[in-house]
Amino acid sequence: MTKLEQVEKSVAELSPDELKAFAAWFEALQADMWDRQIEADAQSGRLDKHAEQALADHRAGRTRPL
């Protein structure tokens, strides 16, 4: 049995309250991973082109207030 299969089996056996707690933990884990990826991309310059395009669009009047 693979690790993934073991996790799937364990999750399937959780009580409703345990499943709710697991889901909250997993959502927080995914959010943290996303934040770290965005930070790494920003530091590496991967987002520079997108930021420059957004600023150019704003200066050209192609944006609107949120």
Side-chain angles (χ1 to χ4, degrees):
M1 184 181 286
T2 68
K3 281 185 178 181
L4 178 57
E5 290 169 334
Q6 291 173 348
V7 169
E8 288 172 344
K9 183 179 184 304
S10 294
V11 170
E13 294 172 353
L14 294 175
S15 71
D17 286 341
E18 290 171 324
L19 185 57
K20 185 176 179 180
F22 173 78
W25 169 82
F26 190 70
E27 183 177 343
L29 174 67
Q30 287 182 304
D32 183 56
M33 291 171 65
W34 172 259
D35 289 346
R36 283 186 273 136
Q37 183 63 56
I38 291 293
E39 185 176 332
D41 288 347
Q43 289 178 354
S44 73
R46 284 184 163 176
L47 303 177
D48 291 354
K49 180 173 68 172
H50 301 292
E52 290 168 12
Q53 182 63 51
L55 289 170
D57 287 343
H58 183 68
R59 285 189 290 271
R62 294 187 295 262
T63 60
R64 58 190 160 124
L66 294 176

